[in-house]
Amino acid sequence: MTDLMTSFRRFDSSRHGTWVVAGVMVVLLFILPVLDDPLLLLQVRYYISMIILALSMAFIWGFGGIMCFGQSMFFGLGGYAYAIAVGNFGESTAPFFLAMIVPALFAAFLGYFMFFGRLNDVYVAVITLAVTLALYYFINSTSGDEYTIGKARLMGFNGISSIRKFNWPGDSTALLSANHLFYFAMGLLIATYVGLKLLLGSTFGRVVVAVKENELRAELLGYDVRLYKLAVFVIGAAIAGLAGCLSINYKNFISPNAFHLSLAAQIIMWVLVGGVGTLLGPIIGCVVLLYVSFILGTGASGGGLNTYLIFGLIVMIFVLVIPQGIVPTLRDWREQGGRYRRMTAGAVLSMAEQLPASSRAPVRAFGERMLGLAPPSGHSGNKG
Amino acid sequence: MAENDVILETRGLTMRFGGVVAVNNVDFSMKEGELRCLIGPNGAGKSTFFKCLTRQYKPSAGQVFFRGADITSDITFQIARRGIGIKTQVPSVFDGLSVHENIWLSARRHHKTRAANKITDQIIERVGLGHATKQLVGRLAHGERQWVELGIVLTGEPKLILLDEPTAGMTGDEVGRTTELIREINRQAALIVVEHDMQFIKAIAQKVTVFHHGQILVEDTMINILSNQQVRDVYLGKHAV
Ligand SMILES: Nc1ncnc2c1ncn2[C@@H]1O[C@H](COP(=O)(O)OP(=O)(O)O)[C@@H](O)[C@H]1O
Ligand SMILES: [Mg+2]
């Protein structure tokens, strides 16, 4: 099991691993439209936007060491930036870029105070959480007519509906077909994944990981860690904004729920479950958890079990039962098993002594065999 | 820079932690190319002094000058860029990264990628870690991690190197090699070395500064220091001052 995790991490960080993952995405890019299943394509587009969101968190947390408790705020900002801009321009090219620029600028502003103010990790988590909450309540309260940007109303808790989808650049009358929207989304996912991989392999990426590993040493070498953290935070925000704008192109709708803490928490869970410090892990974590919530009937239909309840349970299981992660836990269980087996064997052997001589031998043999199966006592199993 | 120029000077440097005055109004000065040993009992304030010089702590009062420039308000990475390197008492390395990556990150700060790769290999040879290039630093023995940190510091080619207990956790053999290395480094850089190992100090010492209760007790040659009654009292725990 340990070997499995190690090889997973090695695969994720290796060059051929990157080629394999990107290759699978490219294959999907060509195969899925051929299946001629519009509903499937639509579903996949939803997953793609969420995966890109997962990647943004995987990057800033897993590699940048920034614990952002409100990654959903950039997702929401990207979505709203797109919705408002496209409502004004009637054309999607500039709004598409604004969906990344607006969250990036906001992250630069927020990050400047956090990282140049030398706030520690806990405060970063608390502040990102608080700002996300504030944005959520603010957007919720903008249903009045006075909250209008240009031609676009913010609509408050009602959300903005019938948002224009992507059109071909420069031609506002030529909307992208469902297939093209899929190609575009999948292409962006591939670009995001490969782009992050290239970034992590560059000098910049290697310094970013070094800052996460040991901030003091990075500074003592002469690296301005504040700038690196800020850059990571801003890049992550732009990617989350991209996800937000793609998710709108799936539902034509955005509401303050984009800022909701439950989404922020889900993003963290995708990374936590999939593996902090990898890119592939959070992709898998995201898909699996979304699918779990879907088959529990809590997806689009809204019926059945409460998603929050399920995800709350998953987090509780992770935090309470296996806080140190799955791998060491399994090892402990094996050792525990050995202890119980030895106890049982001891009981069997003492029972054998009470039995009449004729039936004693087989019971004793059984007990001894159990003992023989048990690993040696003490903590010597730790190395295994 | 002429040999006689002052490389580092502190004026009234003070670091308070609540009621504890860890560094107390220290006027310290050393010249280019010097190899200074800094000794003193545990808690004398040696590490805190180093941390003030590299802005890991913001001094409560006083000034620091490096090669004539006032660096009191510089922050850690700026001080590093001016050419002060430090090996901290508790090794500060990238435990989750390989030996190669540790050294490379230091080399890349000053050189383009290709040159950095080359320098990394050279430094790894120089500190004798060729056998462990790909190993994670966190998995190495304490002595070896010290070497990694020394390598990281050397790679930056600082003008002034601060070494806080560099031989802790090293075998006798390794201490010997460190002595050699320090002499070698001293040809290009000034050094301040904090150590408890008197044999080691004797082997490298030129001028020695003794810290006690956050203040400079005496400053003299090793021979005079060893025969100094005040210093003996301090080390034997008597109250001399
Ligand atoms: N971060 C800190 N907070 C409070 N007290 C400290 C801190 N760092 C050092 N000290 C105190 O300052 C004094 C000097 O410590 P230190 O510089 O580590 O001594 P040395 O390195 O000479 O053994 C000690 O009394 C120590 O307890
Ligand atoms: Mg110390």
Side-chain angles (χ1 to χ4, degrees):
Chain A
M1 188 66 197
T2 312
D3 291 345
L4 198 71
M5 262 326 270
T6 313
S7 26
F8 178 75
R9 280 179 186 277
R10 198 168 292 153
F11 176 81
D12 180 79
S13 59
S14 70
R15 194 164 292 172
H16 84 264
T18 305
W19 282 113
V20 170
V21 175
V24 168
M25 290 179 185
V26 171
V27 168
L28 289 175
L29 174 78
F30 287 109
I31 294 233
L32 288 179
V34 179
L35 298 181
D36 200 22
D37 182 346
L39 210 63
L40 176 72
L41 274 195
L42 198 66
Q43 278 294 329
V44 171
R45 267 167 55 207
Y46 170 65
Y47 276 81
I48 287 173
S49 69
M50 292 298 120
I51 290 172
I52 291 178
L53 185 56
L55 282 174
S56 80
M57 188 68 185
F59 176 61
I60 71 159
W61 184 19
F63 294 90
I66 299 168
M67 185 57 204
C68 176
F69 239 95
Q71 193 65 1
S72 62
M73 80 174 110
F74 304 119
F75 178 82
L77 280 173
Y80 269 93
Y82 176 84
I84 292 163
V86 84
N88 276 295
F89 304 161
E91 200 274 340
S92 71
T93 313
F96 169 73
F97 289 104
L98 282 171
M100 288 177 275
I101 293 166
V102 170
L105 287 177
F106 190 76
F109 173 77
L110 185 62
Y112 178 81
F113 287 105
M114 294 194 306
F115 303 125
F116 280 70
R118 288 296 164 118
L119 298 184
N120 72 30
D121 295 349
V122 176
Y123 281 102
V124 168
V126 169
I127 285 179
T128 49
L129 182 89
V131 172
T132 307
L133 264 177
L135 278 170
Y136 174 70
Y137 286 112
F138 169 70
I139 299 287
N140 248 314
S141 67
T142 57
S143 47
D145 279 341
E146 68 273 27
Y147 294 104
T148 304
I149 300 177
K151 290 186 244 169
R153 280 187 57 196
L154 285 180
M155 304 297 287
F157 54 83
N158 300 307
I160 305 173
S161 46
S162 341
I163 302 165
R164 274 182 63 100
K165 294 189 181 186
F166 294 132
N167 53 256
W168 289 96
D171 184 357
S172 62
T173 56
L175 289 178
L176 262 57
S177 70
N179 269 12
H180 286 142
L181 282 171
F182 166 77
Y183 285 128
F184 189 52
M186 197 71 194
L188 285 171
L189 171 60
I190 295 170
T192 306
Y193 175 76
V194 174
L196 282 177
K197 279 290 179 183
L198 289 175
L199 195 65
L200 286 168
S202 72
T203 297
F204 171 81
R206 287 162 82 172
V207 175
V208 163
V209 172
V211 169
K212 185 203 72 172
E213 272 294 319
N214 185 342
E215 203 171 316
L216 173 64
R217 181 39 84 189
E219 277 201 84
L220 291 173
L221 290 184
Y223 291 108
D224 187 351
V225 302
R226 306 167 304 175
L227 265 183
Y228 281 92
K229 284 185 155 184
L230 183 64
V232 167
F233 195 56
V234 167
I235 293 169
I239 296 173
L242 172 67
C245 134
L246 285 178
S247 93
I248 287 192
N249 269 272
Y250 155 76
K251 348 184 233 199
N252 304 344
F253 172 74
I254 188 164
S255 78
N257 281 339
F259 291 97
H260 204 282
L261 285 187
S262 77
L263 178 59
Q266 279 188 60
I267 304 168
I268 292 169
M269 272 178 271
W270 298 336
V271 179
L272 194 70
V273 170
V276 186
T278 68
L279 287 187
L280 180 56
I283 293 178
I284 296 171
C286 167
V287 172
V288 168
L289 287 187
L290 284 178
Y291 193 68
V292 165
S293 80
F294 175 73
I295 53 175
L296 287 171
T298 58
S301 63
L305 283 161
N306 189 316
T307 324
Y308 306 150
L309 191 70
I310 299 302
F311 285 137
L313 278 174
I314 290 173
V315 166
M316 272 168 59
I317 289 168
F318 261 78
V319 174
L320 291 177
V321 183
I322 42 177
Q324 72 275 55
I326 291 173
V327 176
T329 306
L330 285 180
R331 206 186 304 137
D332 285 353
W333 278 352
R334 211 177 55 202
E335 273 169 33
Q336 289 283 354
R339 209 164 299 145
Y340 292 139
R341 200 158 46 208
R342 279 195 300 280
M343 276 164 59
T344 319
V348 170
L349 283 177
S350 55
M351 197 172 78
E353 300 308 313
Q354 313 298 321
L355 292 171
S358 56
S359 53
R360 193 179 298 160
V363 176
R364 186 188 282 159
F366 178 68
E368 279 167 353
R369 217 174 64 212
M370 276 182 88
L371 261 188
L373 276 175
S377 61
H379 288 282
S380 54
N382 271 348
K383 286 180 190 122
Chain B
M1 292 268 166
E3 274 290 287
N4 277 341
D5 282 347
V6 171
I7 186 166
L8 180 78
E9 187 184 355
T10 70
R11 289 185 204 153
L13 194 68
T14 302
M15 185 71 224
R16 288 186 209 96
F17 298 107
V20 180
V21 190
V23 174
N24 192 358
N25 201 27
V26 168
D27 297 322
F28 177 92
S29 171
M30 69 184 282
K31 298 203 162 65
E32 295 273 354
E34 224 190 298
L35 196 173
R36 181 73 64 94
C37 289
L38 186 59
I39 63 172
N42 267 325
K46 306 176 299 289
S47 296
T48 307
F49 180 62
F50 274 8
K51 285 179 183 169
C52 288
L53 295 180
T54 49
R55 227 342 157 89
Q56 293 173 56
Y57 294 146
K58 184 175 185 288
S60 317
Q63 285 170 295
V64 184
F65 298 88
F66 180 65
R67 298 188 134 189
D70 185 346
I71 62 165
T72 315
S73 56
D74 276 15
I75 61 174
T76 304
F77 85 92
Q78 292 165 327
I79 290 170
R81 286 183 186 188
R82 283 181 185 271
I84 300 182
I86 179 171
K87 201 210 83 57
T88 51
Q89 183 171 347
V90 180
S92 179
V93 287
F94 304 110
D95 275 329
L97 306 179
S98 69
V99 170
H100 185 275
E101 191 73 1
N102 268 264
I103 307 288
W104 185 87
L105 283 159
S106 183
R108 185 66 183 82
R109 249 288 300 142
H110 306 272
H111 304 278
K112 294 236 182 306
T113 303
R114 188 168 301 181
N117 291 338
K118 209 166 164 190
I119 290 167
T120 303
D121 293 339
Q122 287 167 358
I123 294 282
I124 289 177
E125 273 316 303
R126 195 165 161 202
V127 295
L129 286 170
H131 61 283
T133 313
K134 287 188 174 153
Q135 278 190 43
L136 292 189
V137 170
R139 300 252 172 86
L140 300 179
H142 186 71
E144 282 182 317
R145 290 172 74 234
Q146 299 270 55
W147 281 104
V148 172
E149 200 181 16
L150 273 173
I152 289 175
V153 174
L154 282 187
T155 309
E157 294 180 20
K159 308 289 181 299
L160 171 65
I161 300 181
L162 315 175
L163 301 177
D164 201 344
E165 306 197 9
T167 66
M170 284 188 181
T171 62
D173 206 33
E174 288 173 320
V175 174
R177 266 169 60 208
T178 310
T179 314
E180 284 309 304
L181 192 64
I182 286 178
R183 288 211 183 99
E184 203 182 303
I185 299 168
N186 190 219
R187 284 189 213 126
Q188 284 110 38
L191 287 122
I192 310 179
V193 184
V194 167
E195 258 301 342
H196 287 297
D197 184 342
M198 281 303 160
Q199 287 312 114
F200 176 75
I201 300 271
K202 271 191 217 166
I204 61 165
Q206 299 162 5
K207 196 172 176 184
V208 178
T209 300
V210 184
F211 257 48
H212 183 50
H213 289 328
Q215 288 175 309
I216 296 178
L217 185 68
V218 278
E219 223 165 55
D220 214 328
T221 61
M222 190 61 189
I223 299 167
N224 289 345
I225 292 286
L226 284 174
S227 57
N228 185 307
Q229 192 55 43
Q230 260 189 324
V231 176
R232 287 173 173 236
D233 289 346
V234 161
Y235 269 94
L236 293 173
K238 291 181 197 156
H239 293 286
V241 273

